[in-house]
Structure formats: C-alpha cells, structure tokens
Amino acid sequence: MSDAAANQPLKTADGIPLKASLARAESRARRKAFLLVLPLLAFILITFIAPIGQMLHQSFYNEGFTVREDVVSGKRTPIMVNLKQWFDENPQGSEPDEAAYAALAADLLHLQELRAAGSAGTRINYERSGSRSMFTKGARNAKKLEPPYKEAILDLDDEWSDPELWQVMRDASSGYTINFYLAALDRAKNADGEIVMVDPERQVYVKLFIRTLVLSLLITFLTFILGYPIAHLLATLPLRYSNLLMILVLLPFWTSLLVRTTSWMVLLQSQGVVNDALVASGLLGDENRLQMMYNQAGTVIAMTHILLPFMVLPLYSVMRPINPSYVRAARSLGATSFTAFRRVYFPQTIPGIGAGALLVFILSVGYYITPALVGGADGQLISNLIAFHMQKSLNWSLAAALAALLLGGILILYWLYDRLVGIDNLKLG
Amino acid sequence: MAASQNEDAFVEFERVQKSYDGETLVVKDLNLTMPKGEFLTMLGPSGSGKTTCLMMLAGFETATHGDIRLNGRPINNIPPHKRGIGMVFQNYALFPHMTIEENLSFPLEVRNIGKSDREAKVKRALDMVEMGAFGKRRPAQLSGGQQQRIALARALVFEPELVLMDEPLGALDKQLREKMQFEITDLAHRLGITTVYVTHDQTEALTMSDRVAVFDDGRIQQLDAPDTLYEEPQNSFVAQFIGENNTLEGTVKEIRDGIALVQLDDGELIDCLPVNVSKPGERTRVSIRPERVEFNKERLQAGAHTLKAEVMEFIYMGDIFRTRLKVAGNDEFVVKTRNAPDQVRLKPGEQIEIGWLPQDCRALDA
Ligand SMILES: Nc1ncnc2c1ncn2[C@@H]1O[C@H](COP(=O)(O)OP(=O)(O)OP(=O)(O)O)[C@@H](O)[C@H]1O
Ligand SMILES: [Mg+2]
C-alpha cells in the first residue's frame, strides 16, 4: 500500500467510512449485550455499590446531634437548632457566653420533650467520653433551668464549661465532619480546633492497621511457600492422584469455618493436642508449654490454613496448562533442572502467584471471625475493631471510617500491583 | 560397560527395552546403529514407541533394559542437559515469556557464552532459517511455520552434533510442510548434523531420509533406505504401511529356482518372489504394488501366470489413472497407470487379464 492510500480513511463499498460502518454494526450487538447484563448490573448496584456508597457517606456524615428521627413514625425533627445558630454566629474559638448557655438550655428542653437526650449525648460521647450522662442529666433538669443559664447549667455539672466539649458540639452540630477519619487515625481536634494525636494510651487504630498489614503479608507469604509445591504436585501428578489431592486441598472449603477454627483451638491451646504430644514425648517441659493460641501465632496459623486454597487454586490453574515439554526443552538445551525451573517454569507461573497473593492478601486484610476466635488480645485485626464499633459501641460512623480507610488502602495496593506487575498478568482460573 | 562394537557408530541402541508400567513393553528389543551425519527417520503408527525412543535418547526416560550409546559412550547416566542433543518438540515448546532472541540465546546463556558471541550466534541462526526480522517478537506472534523454524534454529544454535525432531511438521498445512521438509533436510546435510526424525507420515519419511526405521508394536520392522523399503518390503506390515499396496492371500505350493508358486484362496496359481516363506504348505500374503500390475499381454513374460479381473471403477486423477479391479475375490485391487497418449482407459464391467513380473510380487508372512 502506498503512503497516500494508508493515510486516507478506509471506506466501505458504498463510500461510508469503514469506522462508522463498523461502529453501527457493533452498536446493535452492544445494546443486546447490555440488556443481557442489566439484571447483574442492577444486582451489583443494589447489593454492592449502594452499601459501599452508604458506608462512605456514613463515615463523614452523622446526624446524631442534628436530627431526631422518630423510630415509629419516621418523622424527622431538627434538634440543637439554637446552639447551631449560636455556633454559626460566633466563630471558632469564641468563649461560650450567656447566649450560648441560653441556647443550650432551650435545646436541652427540646431534647427532653423529644426524649432524644440519649442519642444526642451518644454522638458527643463518641468524641468525648462521659458526655452522654451530662446530656441526659441536663435534659432531665431542663425545665428547672432559669436565667442566668450559664450559672444554672454549671451548677448542674461544671464539666459543661470544658472548651473541648464545646469544640465537639460545634463539629457535631453540622452533620458533616472529618472527625471520624481523624479518630480512625488516632487523631482528634483540640479545643482550638487543631488536629493533634490522641493520648498515647488511646492510640490503637494506626497500630492495628500496621499489624493487619504485617500479618496479612506474612500470611500471604506463608500460603505461597506452602502452596507452591502443592500446586505443582497437583498439576504434574496423574489425574487419578491429583483429583484425590485436590479434594484434600478443597476440604477446608467444605468444612464450616467455625468448625475448623474450633479444631485449631483444640489442637493449639496450651492444654491442647499439640502441646500434650510435645510434653508427652519429652520435647517440652510441662511448665513451658507453647503459647500458640490466643495470640498472633494463633491468628497466623489458623488463617494460613484457611486461606491456603485461595493460593493453591490460582497457582494450579496456571501450572496445569504448562506443557512439560517446556522444561524438557530447557533441559535439552543445556539447563540444569534448577535453571530450567528458574528461567522457564517459574516465570510462567507468575500470573498465578500474583492472583493468589492478591486474593489471599485482600481476604486476610478483611478477615474477621478467625482472629476474633483465636487471636486473643494481640491477634486482633482491624476488622475486629470495625465489628466492635458496628455491634458493641454502635459508633457506625467510626466503623465506616475505618472500613473506608481499609478499602482505600487495598485500592492503593491494587494500583501498585497494576503498576508493578500489570493487572492483565493476573490469572484467577 | 562395553565400548562400541561398531567403530563409526554415532548413535547406538543395543537390545533396548522400555516399560512404563512394569506390565507391558512399549519398546521391545530395539537395535539401531547410526553413523555420523545420517538423517534417519522413525516411521510408524501412533503408539508404536517412536517418541519413547526419542525420549530415551534425549534423557527424559530411562531404558528399562539395554544400552544406548552416543559416540561410543553409554549415556544412561548422563543427565539430559549434558548430552548436548538439540531437540525440536512436536509443539515446538518455544518459551512463551521470552522473545525469539531470548529463546535462541537461552542455550548459549546456560553454557556461559559471552554476550557478543551469543548475539552473533543468535543472528546467524535466525538468518539461517530466514527469520532475522522477527527476533524481537514473542512466539505467540508468529505463525505455525515461523514457530517451527524458530524451534529448529533454537535446537541448532548451540551446534549440537545430534538433533532429534518429534513430528515437527505435524501442525502445518501440506504446502508449508513440503517446503519445510526440504529446508530441514537441506540444513541437516549442509551442517553435517546427525538427525533422528520422527513422523507418521510416510511420504515425509521417504522424501527426507537417508534411512527409514519402520516401527510397529515396539520393534523396528525394517530399517532401510527409502527405495529399498518401498520396493523390497520385508514383511506384510511394511508393505501395507509404506505406499499403496495390493494383497492376495494364499498357500505356498512349491518353491523352485527362487520362485514360489502360490495357490490363491480361489484356486488360481501365481508366481512370486519368496521373501518370508520357506516351505510348501505355508500360508502367505502376497503383495504387489499398483504400478507394477500389467494388463497389456504383450509386456508380460511368456508363460507368466495371469489372473482374470473385472473392472469395478475407473478414476481419472490427472497424471495417473487409478483403476479398481475385482481379482480373486478381492475387489479392492488397485492398478495405477501413467496418463500417456497410448494408455488404455478401462471401463467398468470390462473383463481383463492381469499379470506381473515374479520379482514384483512378494510372498510375505500371513
Ligand atoms: N508417560 C507414559 N506413561 C505410560 N505409558 C506411556 C507414556 N508415554 C507413552 N506411553 C505409552 O507407550 C506407548 C508408545 O508411546 P509413544 O509416545 O512412544 O508412541 P509414538 O510412537 O510416539 O506415537 P505417536 O505417533 O502417536 O506420537 C503408547 O502405548 C503409550 O500409551
Ligand atoms: Mg509421539
């Protein structure tokens, strides 16, 4: 083809540019395909995108101090409106004056009428412990309050003058806040609205994020070391034996997670089977039984076992189709068996390693039940704290902020993986 | 272990047996001697043990019994990477994660050959198979024939003295195959490489090889040059397997002056060359090539036995005519004649008499 012809856009027989004609021909097929995947799209939207969006929203929006929603009628009533107005009129750092206390008194009375003092107090309590009881007590006595309100309220409880409390109320009065993210990173705003670290004994989350990351990496590495040879064996054994072995690998999938975790407890606790056997065989003195349960070791052992199949299966799926003639060819070309493995076999399994590692890592970062059962105090992972805030402390916004940080971290890792290895190098099966 | 008996033997199999499962022998008593520079083809039906023999030679299977020697040295205890044998696999086995150049330089790298030397050799090997422009591509970006050439270049780049090829052309279409057949033999002869070539395509075996070993049932049925193999098959398997062949069954009446008189099952008598028969009364299968059958009486020897035949079908094939006859109860009897101006074109239903020279009609095992 000459250069001139190559630069001309190609045309079909009747002169329509080839590109347009192709696009038209394909758009019908695309529309049809779209209709077919529509149910799935709707399903994902409802069960996946929407909850995640809801969670992300919750992590920086909490209306516990701004709106009272009646459980029965669903009627929404704004609360703390007077105080909010005072906050709007007086800039950050203003000393609360009589007007502020008057607004507070009016709002407390309103809370008492709505029976909402508990929930409003809880919202403040998230960031300043001990505040909930002040609100319930204040609301109970709201009717009796008379001017001057400042004295009356401080008479009830002189904690009301705490500048930190006023800072928290100022933040909470607007619904939107980044305070939960700050809390999830062990930070808070001080009385002047500056971001500072919380007291050292209350710094838990960053430590837990780091521990989660380190343990997940360790578990990923262990599953790789243990899984690679198994996957190789599976891929090279005659089908008859490999099927049997495959069943053994898959067995954990078919057993209840709880049953398996409990079995680990039976085996590994200090009065458990393993320790008993070691003591009985004289390898270990009775007084220094190994602590393999209710600590990080327990979490690592149990999770490595549980997540092993997620490493083995992707590895197996890339190893099975690797023709043995590649290694043979390498050998016949003069490579020792180690060189043949390193230069020819191993590189072809990298997509499986990437997929398995990513799978195991992401699963273990979010793992909850096993660390909860066998992790003890120092084997807990970040998801255990998320669950704690979801179920016990009912601080959903903090739970959401922690979860959002976790999600963000995983997305960053995913992006890094794509940059370093390339996501199209991933083979999941 | 004993040194080679045969001084110019390069590859030797001596009484080699192989069993995979300990119950059946896949290779039974294999004896084979190849001089240096020979192009030998192993030809045989599927499952006859050809690949197994190649794998034993390359070191990926061990012989259950017997000796294999390379250049006079027993190789049973030499690991594959020290045998220095180039191998072309049926699926080419080009490393998919390496470029063509990397594939070719792999055997040189593991031999610790310097970079500049390596590059020169890779370039020379690529040019040799006329693939110089493709060095930066991956195997998946090449056509089947191009991959085949790269596989060949890779097996030759480290200058092995012996090259093994296991059905390297199996995946190619007919035209490309014929071209590659020529290229491979040309290259092998030019470089003076000893080659063991496996195929189950008999045309390929006949056109390419110095000698052909016909395998069946774990044994070499016959090992000869292509023309000998075709014209003088030693048993009925070889006669059937190589080229087209007509068979008639009968019993030996007498053997005299190097001519066997055979009575066919329908009672008629014919003269044959006794190959696998020794005494009267033996059952035999008589083999005649389609192009050696004659129905023009004038061209037959005086007094030669003739057979009655009925023309079943006449097929015009351009260069030749193929006529199917019914002879002595066998209606798959084929005659091939050259398309010449004076050639007779037989018509179905015609009754004719056919005959042949006794030496073209071989009495083989039943
Ligand atoms: N690894 C193995 N384990 C067990 N039996 C095998 C193995 N490899 C081959 N066989 C058996 O050995 C016999 C010979 O196989 P081989 O591969 O040598 O045949 P082949 O002549 O190369 O056939 P083809 O033309 O189909 O490639 C076959 O019956 C086969 O089933
Ligand atoms: Mg084979």
Side-chain angles (χ1 to χ4, degrees):
Chain A
M1 207 192 294
S2 77
D3 277 350
N7 290 336
Q8 291 276 323
L10 284 173
K11 303 231 168 122
T12 56
D14 40 1
I16 306 162
L18 198 55
K19 276 227 174 80
S21 169
L22 183 70
R24 207 170 38 210
E26 282 183 348
S27 79
R28 253 179 71 96
R30 256 202 306 267
R31 263 203 306 277
K32 229 186 271 176
F34 178 75
L35 281 179
L36 283 174
V37 297
L38 202 57
L40 178 68
L41 271 179
F43 182 77
I44 288 179
L45 205 67
I46 293 166
T47 60
F48 190 69
I49 309 281
I52 286 184
Q54 164 74 20
M55 178 199 80
L56 287 175
H57 184 241
Q58 184 121 57
S59 68
F60 54 79
Y61 182 73
N62 188 313
E63 52 186 23
F65 203 62
T66 54
V67 174
R68 164 69 172 181
E69 184 168 342
D70 192 278
V71 185
V72 184
S73 66
K75 189 161 153 269
R76 292 163 61 83
T77 322
I79 54 173
M80 310 311 284
V81 282
N82 300 304
L83 204 54
K84 173 144 178 54
Q85 194 179 1
W86 185 84
F87 283 133
D88 288 345
E89 284 162 5
N90 295 272
Q92 175 97 36
S94 316
E95 191 72 16
D97 52 11
E98 176 61 19
Y101 282 98
L104 178 61
D107 284 335
L108 283 173
L109 188 62
H110 189 215
L111 286 181
Q112 177 66 4
E113 287 161 5
L114 290 168
R115 305 186 171 285
S119 59
T122 303
R123 167 68 186 89
I124 303 304
N125 207 54
Y126 289 154
E127 297 180 47
R128 186 185 174 282
S129 48
S131 311
R132 188 176 185 274
S133 60
M134 289 163 64
F135 274 85
T136 47
K137 189 169 160 203
R140 252 197 328 272
N141 297 311
K143 274 209 186 91
K144 288 183 259 163
L145 292 174
E146 281 175 19
Y149 289 109
K150 180 167 179 177
E151 261 165 60
I153 290 176
L154 289 184
D155 265 355
L156 276 178
D157 194 333
D158 58 9
E159 292 264 319
W160 279 111
S161 65
D162 181 5
E164 196 191 326
L165 173 68
W166 284 87
Q167 175 60 40
V168 172
M169 287 198 295
R170 177 184 284 275
D171 277 347
S173 67
S174 81
Y176 286 96
T177 172
I178 60 159
N179 286 9
F180 294 109
Y181 280 99
L182 295 178
L185 293 168
D186 289 340
R187 281 156 176 81
K189 283 188 190 155
N190 66 7
D192 302 326
E194 290 160 350
I195 294 169
V196 292
M197 295 293 293
V198 300
D199 304 338
E201 68 268 22
R202 288 178 55 208
Q203 296 178 4
V204 285
Y205 302 110
V206 171
K207 216 170 67 198
L208 257 166
F209 271 119
I210 291 173
R211 181 197 292 166
T212 305
L213 188 75
V214 169
L215 288 191
S216 299
L217 285 175
L218 179 65
I219 289 163
T220 308
F221 180 72
L222 287 176
T223 53
F224 167 66
I225 291 292
L226 294 172
Y228 199 89
I230 300 174
H232 179 70
L233 202 63
L234 269 172
T236 47
L237 232 47
L239 215 56
R240 187 153 51 110
Y241 302 110
S242 75
N243 275 343
L244 193 70
L245 195 62
M246 185 56 111
I247 289 176
L248 292 182
V249 169
L250 288 177
L251 210 56
F253 272 148
W254 301 333
T255 330
S256 150
L257 184 70
L258 276 171
V259 172
R260 270 183 297 156
T261 309
T262 319
S263 328
W264 278 115
M265 292 160 82
V266 173
L267 282 171
L268 296 182
Q269 59 183 289
S270 56
Q271 298 301 323
V273 178
V274 173
N275 267 314
D276 281 353
L278 286 175
V279 170
S281 64
L283 286 171
L284 211 64
D286 199 16
E287 60 289 349
N288 35 13
R289 285 170 173 261
L290 297 174
Q291 265 308 325
M292 293 180 288
M293 189 84 337
Y294 308 121
N295 56 13
Q296 290 186 10
T299 302
V300 170
I301 293 174
M303 279 178 62
T304 302
H305 172 239
I306 287 164
L307 295 175
L308 198 54
F310 293 98
M311 180 61 90
V312 172
L313 290 179
L315 279 177
Y316 170 76
S317 84
V318 297
M319 285 175 176
R320 184 101 227 176
I322 296 179
N323 198 311
S325 66
Y326 289 125
V327 171
R328 289 184 163 185
R331 301 270 283 141
S332 80
L333 292 171
T336 60
S337 49
F338 177 70
T339 308
F341 171 80
R342 189 175 56 85
R343 298 271 320 265
V344 173
Y345 191 79
F346 185 77
Q348 294 188 57
T349 61
I350 285 178
I353 298 174
L358 207 62
L359 211 58
V360 170
F361 182 80
I362 289 177
L363 280 174
S364 53
V365 158
Y367 231 66
Y368 158 65
I369 189 129
T370 306
L373 290 175
V374 304
D378 65 346
Q380 300 294 304
L381 301 182
I382 195 71
S383 34
N384 300 104
L385 247 90
I386 296 178
F388 169 77
H389 286 304
M390 293 294 291
Q391 295 163 352
K392 297 275 168 51
S393 80
L394 299 182
N395 189 351
W396 285 18
S397 287
L398 181 54
L402 288 168
L405 285 176
L406 195 59
L407 182 65
I410 289 174
L411 288 179
I412 288 173
L413 282 171
Y414 192 76
W415 174 78
L416 272 179
Y417 179 92
D418 188 31
R419 291 300 301 271
L420 298 178
V421 188
I423 220 67
D424 42 349
N425 254 332
L426 203 69
K427 190 155 185 290
L428 284 172
Chain B
M1 234 162 278
S4 162
Q5 284 93 12
N6 190 338
E7 275 312 306
D8 44 74
F10 185 59
V11 177
E12 265 181 295
F13 284 77
E14 192 184 330
R15 317 211 53 188
V16 171
Q17 296 185 322
K18 171 72 187 173
S19 171
Y20 282 107
D21 51 10
E23 287 167 18
T24 49
L25 280 175
V26 170
V27 174
K28 306 169 184 163
D29 194 30
L30 182 80
N31 293 287
L32 178 68
T33 310
M34 278 177 77
K36 213 171 164 98
E38 185 177 50
F39 196 113
L40 181 132
T41 298
M42 294 179 171
L43 174 69
S46 196
S48 55
K50 308 179 297 285
T51 300
T52 306
C53 286
L54 225 53
M55 288 300 158
M56 287 192 288
L57 194 52
F60 300 120
E61 297 290 350
T62 44
T64 316
H65 174 85
D67 290 330
I68 303 174
R69 282 187 289 269
L70 184 62
N71 226 346
R73 279 192 311 156
I75 58 169
N76 289 0
N77 296 320
I78 307 176
H81 66 279
K82 294 208 175 127
R83 295 192 182 187
I85 297 176
M87 181 140 186
V88 180
F89 289 81
Q90 182 161 15
N91 62 353
Y92 313 141
L94 297 176
F95 306 138
H97 57 291
M98 297 185 191
T99 63
I100 299 308
E101 274 173 1
E102 286 164 347
N103 262 283
L104 259 68
S105 97
F106 181 83
L108 305 173
E109 279 166 40
V110 298
R111 285 180 171 71
N112 294 320
I113 291 175
K115 190 164 189 297
S116 56
D117 234 11
R118 235 162 42 208
E119 279 167 4
K121 283 182 191 228
V122 167
K123 187 174 180 315
R124 189 141 34 92
L126 280 179
D127 289 343
M128 178 180 73
V129 292
E130 290 163 25
M131 293 287 294
F134 296 84
K136 294 280 182 278
R137 293 213 198 166
R138 301 258 166 161
Q141 297 165 324
L142 298 183
S143 75
Q146 291 169 334
Q147 291 184 31
Q148 205 285 328
R149 279 190 246 181
I150 298 301
L152 188 64
R154 191 180 65 176
L156 296 177
V157 72
F158 60 101
E159 292 157 22
E161 296 188 304
L162 176 62
V163 174
L164 313 180
M165 305 191 198
D166 191 357
E167 299 189 34
L169 306 181
L172 306 185
D173 66 57
K174 188 165 173 289
Q175 223 158 7
L176 195 54
R177 232 165 127 129
E178 280 163 9
K179 184 165 174 300
M180 291 303 303
Q181 287 169 5
F182 171 74
E183 284 180 19
I184 289 176
T185 37
D186 181 52
L187 214 56
H189 286 136
R190 207 143 41 86
L191 304 177
I193 304 164
T194 315
T195 312
V196 181
Y197 189 96
V198 165
T199 180
H200 48 216
D201 178 339
Q202 43 135 332
T203 334
E204 199 166 291
L206 293 182
T207 52
M208 294 175 81
S209 330
D210 297 327
R211 281 195 303 163
V212 179
V214 180
F215 271 66
D216 186 40
D217 192 26
R219 281 178 215 279
I220 294 184
Q221 301 290 337
Q222 189 171 349
L223 174 58
D224 266 315
D227 53 346
T228 319
L229 206 62
Y230 184 81
E231 283 162 30
E232 297 165 22
Q234 292 304 315
N235 57 40
S236 39
F237 175 80
V238 177
Q240 281 294 344
F241 195 74
I242 307 286
E244 206 169 0
N245 184 54
N246 293 309
T247 51
L248 299 170
E249 295 196 12
T251 316
V252 178
K253 277 304 243 198
E254 62 171 26
I255 300 179
R256 190 156 33 88
D257 302 338
I259 298 275
L261 191 65
V262 172
Q263 180 162 41
L264 299 181
D265 288 351
D266 70 341
E268 295 201 66
L269 288 171
I270 53 172
D271 294 324
C272 307
L273 186 73
V275 180
N276 264 346
V277 292
S278 51
K279 56 181 186 296
E282 257 182 290
R283 291 289 297 168
T284 181
R285 195 176 285 188
V286 174
S287 141
I288 312 114
R289 295 287 179 200
E291 66 276 12
R292 299 291 169 99
V293 178
E294 193 53 75
F295 50 82
N296 187 344
K297 275 222 187 87
E298 290 148 30
R299 296 210 200 136
L300 282 175
Q301 271 177 346
H305 282 106
T306 57
L307 290 178
K308 282 194 193 45
E310 183 186 347
V311 179
M312 308 292 290
E313 194 178 8
F314 175 85
I315 303 170
Y316 178 85
M317 295 180 73
D319 52 347
I320 57 162
F321 302 147
R322 198 183 137 93
T323 316
R324 192 160 64 81
L325 307 177
K326 182 169 181 170
V327 178
N330 174 2
D331 62 1
E332 294 291 337
F333 198 98
V334 172
V335 178
K336 283 184 192 162
T337 45
R338 207 161 53 84
N339 182 357
D342 59 340
Q343 190 59 267
V344 186
R345 299 188 186 196
L346 296 167
K347 286 175 199 63
E350 229 177 302
Q351 298 287 337
I352 55 169
E353 298 237 327
I354 57 167
W356 43 74
L357 300 177
Q359 60 268 31
D360 286 336
C361 168
R362 300 170 68 83
L364 305 170
D365 53 315

